[in-house]
Amino acid sequence: MARTSSSSTGGPSAPRNRTPQPLPRRRRSFGDFFKAFLAFVALAALVLGVPGALAYAVGWPLPGGAPSLDWLQQEITVGTFINVLTVVVWLAWAQFTACVLVEVKAALSGVGMPNRVPGAGGSQLLARQLVAALLLVGATAASFAPGLSQFGQSLEGNQKPASAASAQQTPGGLFGQEQASSAASAVAEQAEQAAAHAGSSAKDGDTKYYRIQPPEGRHHDSMWEIAERHLGDGRRYKEIYQLNKDREQPDGSRLSEASLIRPGWIMEMPADAHGGELVEMPDESPKVSQDVKEQISDYAKSGDQAKEQGGGAKEQGGGSTDRDTAHITVPEQRPSESGQQKAPVASSGSSDSEGFSFGLPEALIGAPLLAAGLLGALGRRRRHALWQSAMGAVGGRRGMEPPTPTGGAADVQDALLVGADPEGVRLLDLSLRGLAASLAEESRALPTVYAAWLSNGDLHLQLAQPAGRPPAPWQLGQDQTFWMLARTDAERYEDMDTAAPYPGLVSLGTLDDSRLLLNLEAVPGVVSLSGRESDRAAVFASVAAELATNGWSDRMTITLVGFGQDLTPLAPNRLRHLDDIEALIETMEAETRQRRGALGAAGHDSVLTGRTGPAQHTRWAPHLVLLAAEPAGDDAVKLAELAADASRLGIGYLVGTESGDLPGAAWEMEITPEGKLLAPLLGLELEAQALPEAQQRAVVELFVDADPGEEGASGSGASGRGAATPPFLVDVTEQGRPAVYARLVGTYEIIGLDTPDGERSPLMHEALALLLLHREGVHPRVLASALWPRGVTEDVRDALVDRLREWLGTEPDGEARLRADRSGRLTLAKSVVSDLDVLRSLYHEATQGRGANSRAVRGRMLTDALVLVRGPLLSDRPQGRYAWLTHEIIDAQLPLLVADIGLALSEFHLEKGRAEKAIEALNAALNSAPGDERLWNELLRGTHAVGDPARLQQVAADLVARSGARGVPPRTEALLDELLPAWRSGLSAVG
């Protein structure tokens, strides 16, 4: 899809995504020439001097003829040893000379990395350094740094073009496709008109040619710059593409993508092209070698044939859409299995610090992987806080209920619940680990992956270069650089103990139904992001939050510099903030040296080979640097130098810039005020995934509130229990009999309502259970997302709410029992109660209400509460439903609440010396909370008080059996040593 943009003055501005910017040139110093001279001397000594010295001093060490048996039986003398050593030196010299030749060839050709000489190792490294030093004073030394010209290069041959309609529905490929659209912009029209003009001009014989130049440093020739130099406008690169696509190049391959051109290729140019590098009449040009003249001549003939073929295709109705550019390397999409989507694509737009639009933050709703990561991390944080509080409490629970979010935090939490796709995250993680495991079984290395596309549930990996056929059930995509896994095949994978192969993948945005994830640690160089500061900050925050909480990585370090909002609470073990760029450069210089040394010592080429094998879980975790502040001057150059070898080391750099001109940038992106992420030369125009400032603050607030603060962690007894007040209390007297009573603890039963008829009954029951577990209210979109995880239309959702309201009925005063509060959230009347509400209220009343001052009331209420516990929450829920419970912490709250009740009732009985009653209460609580260490400790103490060693030994045996491979917790083990010193030796006898 073409786009137009305007500068402040109203004129067109060039897109930000051009070819990688070269590092600033500097004048060659005397030191450079001196190093080059020393390198020349060293190479001459090693390549020429060594054989000369051997020939002069030792001579030829091998015998002149075939050895006889007598020769083998001769005495071994010093001369024999010298001859053997001489042979070894000759072999070492031959290997080193081969390394020098390989490195010189690669340096002079300017294409790709040099081939590896088998077994060379340090010899080739020394040869590379000497050759680089020798060529330091010339431009050829720059060819040692490969860049984006190798991105996504596929095997020669063309792909069958898809239909124009299909092309318009599919995202542009990562490396060089532009989206064709029926609503083409003015720039596209201008390019098409110019291409037609170029074609007509070519027929007149005014044909000019350009030969693609080899790379210089990190700078590679691109069609955009060729068009800018020789046609005066980079946007006219399409004319060059149209003239040359599908034509065979001198190396046998063909031009199939506008961004994939290789040094040595020949480009036919429009008639109005100008500049000294162009060739009009190669047969008469003295500056062109004979080989190049012949290549241009052959190329010109292929152009005539291609035009004839192209004209025939056009006559057959091919249309004007540039289908190759729009579709050639795009993941082929299968039809969606469902007509509904999980959530609409986010329109991040500008960040609104005053509030959120549309009731909920749409940016989070449209970011399912980010939302799933944040929601999962938040749930883990809350569960950890619960257990931390439980293990630290004495005589009571503290902070049983996490704080109920309000305002913006409540909206963000609802958006996370609506947008999260935990199943998609799980399948992505299983697919990547399964691929790594399959490749390891075949003794194959992990291929370098630049990006991944998620399209209709299918996963497409875009490789840096062809890597053969993928292991089953993976399949080749539309060309050799795409590996594809269908969602149905991904669901067959099971959990496996394999290191995450591509933890640096992070979502950038969407195009139609496809989501792009860039592998930040694989990009060879800096990835730059330009645009307004607030828009850049929103993209940076989204990237940081997803990397910190994603489910497809194991360990990771994320260094943040220049961030206004402190995101550390999201993942303190992953995120770290540095004060300035100087601190960052100092840190990364040290880590770069360390990683280079570690890779060399381990014998690995890159971190990808280090992520398979015995050491996969102990090293090679990625380090991703997010620099929101633009580096200046020498800092930018130093950062570019560090990033030059970063992809091999598992380090990635995403850097913000005001101007868009960043030294060493391998990939330039631009975020627009409208929320578009643009990289024109790479064919990207996405709806950007962003996390605006207001939502950043709300997300951080959720995580901060989830941690046990000083107030909740201080004190015990009544003061400590004060924080455990439930958000909803019911009247537990006879006068408080509810109109509708639902039993959730155990099997699901409803008293006071007729069972709905038909197939909608399970859906109605599930909706009521969700509302009962959230007395603070449930947003209608959260309700719909919970009941229909794969998406639903508003009319179906509203129809369910109406049926639910009719089923629950009205109060005596005529008000509906299902109502909406001011924010639009659905709430239940106080007359609709669950046994979980009663359980919480009874415990609260027994410990903080009337029972606190009346022993008889406390005992009765605790006993009544324990009787309510009939099993796990919703123990009979049907398979495939209630998936939203995975987002809840009720599964951790309920066992802790039951344990608290059992402990309180046990303490109540022990006060009167009723040990058997106390043991009975503890055993009843253990049926629902078998893993609570506090219950086991009190059971051991109570059984010891009875004075029956055999019974105590049996309890110890049951405890050890339940502990399994984890073993007995340390505090419980110490208690056993105190109460039953011989418990270890007695276990076998009891068993």
Side-chain angles (χ1 to χ4, degrees):
M1 180 184 299
R3 71 175 182 93
T4 58
S5 62
S6 300
S7 65
S8 58
T9 60
S13 61
R16 290 296 180 198
N17 192 25
R18 302 185 180 182
T19 56
Q21 295 295 320
L23 295 178
R25 297 179 177 271
R26 65 183 180 88
R27 298 179 61 87
R28 303 304 182 190
S29 64
F30 173 77
D32 294 332
F33 288 97
F34 183 68
K35 291 178 182 178
F37 174 75
L38 293 180
F40 173 77
V41 173
L43 284 173
L46 292 172
V47 175
L48 302 177
V50 169
L54 290 173
Y56 177 79
V58 181
W60 187 249
L62 298 179
S68 63
L69 184 62
D70 293 338
W71 182 83
L72 294 175
Q73 292 177 346
Q74 290 179 359
E75 181 181 0
I76 298 177
T77 63
V78 174
T80 305
F81 278 108
I82 293 176
N83 287 336
V84 171
L85 292 176
T86 304
V87 171
V88 173
V89 175
W90 273 107
L91 292 175
W93 169 83
Q95 184 189 60
F96 178 78
T97 303
C99 293
V100 172
L101 294 176
V102 167
E103 296 296 330
V104 170
K105 178 181 180 297
L108 296 179
S109 65
V111 181
M113 290 292 290
N115 297 324
R116 295 186 59 191
V117 177
S123 296
Q124 187 163 5
L125 178 61
L126 175 61
R128 181 175 305 170
Q129 292 173 341
L130 291 176
V131 172
L134 179 61
L135 300 178
L136 183 63
V137 295
T140 53
S143 64
F144 283 94
L148 287 182
S149 66
Q150 285 79 37
F151 272 27
Q153 291 181 0
S154 59
L155 296 181
E156 61 187 79
N158 301 313
Q159 306 301 319
K160 295 180 180 180
S163 65
S166 173
Q168 293 170 4
Q169 296 172 358
T170 316
L174 176 60
F175 307 111
Q177 300 84 345
E178 287 197 355
Q179 177 69 9
S181 169
S182 58
S185 65
V187 174
E189 294 175 359
Q190 175 188 358
E192 291 175 2
Q193 294 171 1
H197 172 72
S200 62
S201 299
K203 294 178 182 179
D204 297 335
D206 298 331
T207 307
K208 302 176 183 179
Y209 298 93
Y210 175 83
R211 188 175 178 85
I212 305 300
Q213 299 302 307
E216 180 180 345
R218 298 200 61 81
H219 177 83
H220 292 253
D221 236 346
S222 70
M223 281 198 182
W224 182 283
E225 289 202 344
I226 295 171
E228 197 169 56
R229 290 197 308 266
H230 300 294
L231 299 177
D233 188 350
R235 290 172 295 182
R236 293 184 62 187
Y237 76 91
K238 271 196 169 185
E239 301 176 38
I240 307 175
Y241 174 78
Q242 292 285 357
L243 286 171
N244 296 277
K245 71 174 182 176
D246 297 335
R247 295 170 61 179
E248 185 173 351
Q249 293 290 336
D251 61 0
S253 55
R254 298 174 186 268
L255 174 66
S256 60
E257 301 174 37
S259 67
L260 294 184
I261 56 177
R262 304 178 187 175
W265 279 11
I266 298 167
M267 295 288 111
E268 181 178 339
M269 302 292 289
D272 61 338
H274 56 274
E277 298 171 340
L278 298 177
V279 177
E280 289 190 36
M281 304 175 63
D283 293 337
E284 301 177 6
S285 175
K287 298 180 180 180
V288 181
S289 66
Q290 186 61 36
D291 291 340
V292 174
K293 291 179 182 179
E294 294 176 357
Q295 291 175 3
I296 294 178
S297 178
D298 294 340
Y299 190 73
K301 295 177 183 178
S302 69
D304 295 335
Q305 298 171 1
K307 289 173 185 175
E308 292 174 3
Q309 296 172 359
K314 191 170 183 178
E315 291 173 2
Q316 296 173 10
S320 61
T321 301
D322 186 359
R323 292 176 293 181
D324 289 326
T325 304
H327 193 70
I328 186 67
T329 60
V330 172
E332 295 175 352
Q333 301 185 50
R334 299 182 300 111
S336 176
E337 298 177 1
S338 171
Q340 304 296 338
Q341 295 298 321
K342 163 74 180 169
V345 174
S347 177
S348 41
S350 59
S351 57
D352 182 5
S353 60
E354 299 300 325
F356 307 124
S357 59
F358 310 109
L360 293 178
E362 296 293 329
L364 281 172
I365 292 177
L369 304 184
L370 170 60
L374 288 171
L375 197 60
L378 182 60
R380 290 190 295 272
R381 185 71 54 82
R382 287 172 171 171
R383 287 180 176 86
H384 176 73
L386 281 174
W387 284 106
Q388 186 178 16
S389 181
M391 294 302 105
V394 178
R397 281 283 300 119
R398 301 170 300 168
M400 170 60 72
E401 299 292 335
T404 301
T406 59
D411 288 337
V412 161
Q413 179 171 277
D414 286 343
L416 295 178
L417 291 167
V418 172
D421 183 14
E423 181 65 10
V425 171
R426 187 183 72 87
L427 291 178
L428 175 61
D429 183 45
L430 288 178
S431 301
L432 296 176
R433 294 180 193 268
L435 175 63
S438 299
L439 290 172
E441 290 177 0
E442 299 177 7
S443 298
R444 295 171 61 185
L446 287 167
T448 299
V449 170
Y450 282 130
W453 289 94
L454 289 174
S455 302
N456 292 333
D458 298 339
L459 174 61
H460 304 258
L461 297 182
Q462 190 157 1
L463 312 184
Q465 57 188 5
R469 294 199 63 85
W474 288 79
Q475 307 171 21
L476 280 176
Q478 71 248 33
D479 62 35
Q480 297 289 329
T481 60
F482 273 92
W483 285 4
M484 190 274 289
L485 182 68
R487 182 186 181 96
T488 52
D489 293 329
E491 291 171 347
R492 291 162 26 197
Y493 275 119
E494 298 179 354
D495 293 331
M496 57 195 71
D497 185 24
T498 303
Y502 305 111
L505 286 169
V506 64
S507 302
L508 288 185
T510 59
L511 185 57
D512 296 333
D513 295 333
S514 296
R515 182 171 302 277
L516 171 66
L517 290 86
L518 172 69
N519 190 4
L520 275 181
E521 66 167 338
V523 177
V526 171
V527 179
S528 69
L529 177 66
S530 61
R532 295 190 316 185
E533 183 178 1
S534 59
D535 298 325
R536 295 201 320 266
V539 174
F540 271 97
S542 171
V543 170
E546 185 170 298
L547 289 172
T549 60
N550 73 50
W552 54 88
S553 63
D554 299 321
R555 296 180 301 111
M556 184 184 300
T557 299
I558 307 165
T559 298
L560 309 179
V561 183
F563 277 63
Q565 178 69 46
D566 183 9
L567 301 178
T568 306
L570 304 185
N573 294 332
R574 287 192 178 187
L575 291 169
R576 67 174 179 181
H577 284 258
L578 293 182
D579 295 334
D580 50 37
I581 299 176
E582 289 73 15
L584 172 66
I585 291 177
E586 182 180 355
T587 300
M588 298 315 299
E589 284 178 341
E591 179 155 352
T592 299
R593 288 193 301 269
Q594 187 273 331
R595 290 202 173 208
R596 283 174 178 162
L599 279 175
H604 294 301
D605 296 328
S606 70
V607 294
L608 287 180
T609 55
R611 284 183 185 148
T612 57
Q616 58 177 315
H617 292 293
T618 57
R619 57 178 68 177
W620 321 124
H623 186 168
L624 302 175
V625 176
L626 307 182
L627 176 57
E630 181 176 8
D634 293 340
D635 291 336
V637 175
K638 291 179 181 178
L639 198 64
E641 292 172 348
L642 288 172
D645 195 30
S647 60
R648 187 177 67 90
L649 305 176
I651 303 175
Y653 294 86
L654 177 63
V655 181
T657 172
E658 290 284 348
S659 61
D661 298 325
L662 194 66
W667 188 13
E668 293 184 346
M669 300 183 298
E670 177 187 0
I671 177 68
T672 70
E674 294 77 24
K676 297 284 187 179
L677 189 67
L678 306 177
L681 199 61
L682 302 181
L684 292 180
E685 185 170 344
L686 308 174
E687 292 287 344
Q689 179 172 298
L691 190 63
E693 182 182 359
Q695 296 170 32
Q696 295 175 41
R697 292 197 303 266
V699 167
V700 171
E701 180 182 340
L702 286 174
F703 278 80
V704 171
D705 289 345
D707 280 326
E710 295 182 1
E711 181 180 352
S714 62
S716 59
S719 62
R721 300 186 189 102
T725 302
F728 177 73
L729 292 173
V730 300
D731 187 353
V732 294
T733 66
E734 283 294 327
Q735 291 74 23
R737 184 179 298 274
V740 178
Y741 182 67
R743 292 178 175 175
L744 305 179
V745 184
T747 57
Y748 191 179
E749 301 175 12
I750 298 179
I751 302 172
L753 292 176
D754 296 332
T755 302
D757 296 330
E759 298 178 352
R760 295 191 180 98
S761 179
L763 200 64
M764 304 274 282
H765 280 73
E766 185 176 357
L768 179 57
L770 177 62
L771 291 166
L772 285 167
L773 291 177
H774 290 277
R775 303 304 304 224
E776 73 278 8
V778 178
H779 197 285
R781 296 180 71 174
V782 175
L783 177 67
S785 178
L787 300 180
W788 294 282
R790 303 189 68 176
V792 68
T793 56
E794 291 186 9
D795 58 334
V796 174
R797 178 198 68 195
D798 295 341
L800 171 73
V801 173
D802 292 339
R803 282 191 294 269
L804 191 61
R805 183 179 289 110
E806 182 180 356
W807 180 44
L808 291 174
T810 59
E811 297 283 73
D813 60 2
E815 188 176 1
R817 295 190 177 115
L818 178 63
R819 58 198 68 168
D821 61 13
R822 291 182 179 180
S823 65
R825 290 177 171 81
L826 301 172
T827 61
L828 294 171
K830 292 184 177 180
S831 61
V832 183
V833 174
S834 72
D835 54 354
L836 188 59
D837 297 326
V838 176
L839 190 67
R840 289 166 169 161
S841 299
L842 284 171
Y843 178 66
H844 175 75
E845 190 69 19
T847 55
Q848 300 182 52
R850 290 176 296 148
N853 300 317
S854 172
R855 174 179 169 79
V857 172
R858 182 167 72 254
R860 185 178 72 253
M861 288 188 170
L862 290 174
T863 302
D864 291 345
L866 203 55
V867 170
L868 286 176
V869 182
R870 300 175 298 120
L873 184 76
L874 298 167
S875 58
D876 61 341
R877 59 180 180 265
Q879 186 176 5
R881 301 213 64 89
Y882 296 86
W884 47 270
L885 280 173
T886 58
H887 301 320
E888 308 285 342
I889 62 169
I890 185 63
D891 58 337
Q893 288 176 311
L894 181 58
L896 290 175
L897 177 59
V898 173
D900 288 342
I901 295 171
L903 291 169
L905 187 56
S906 171
E907 181 183 3
F908 171 81
H909 289 304
L910 287 176
E911 288 175 356
K912 292 296 184 179
R914 297 193 292 264
E916 290 294 341
K917 287 288 186 180
I919 292 174
E920 181 181 346
L922 292 169
N923 282 321
L926 278 169
N927 289 332
S928 295
D932 198 296
E933 182 182 359
R934 299 169 301 158
L935 289 176
W936 284 105
N937 290 347
E938 293 304 316
L939 182 59
L940 289 170
R941 293 188 179 98
T943 307
H944 180 265
V946 174
D948 187 347
R951 188 175 176 183
L952 181 60
Q953 189 73 42
Q954 184 62 52
V955 172
D958 292 342
L959 172 60
V960 172
R962 283 182 178 271
S963 300
R966 295 176 302 173
V968 178
R971 289 191 293 187
T972 303
E973 186 176 4
L975 179 61
L976 278 172
D977 290 337
E978 173 66 24
L979 302 180
L980 192 65
W983 66 278
R984 291 179 177 84
S985 59
L987 288 180
S988 57
V990 173

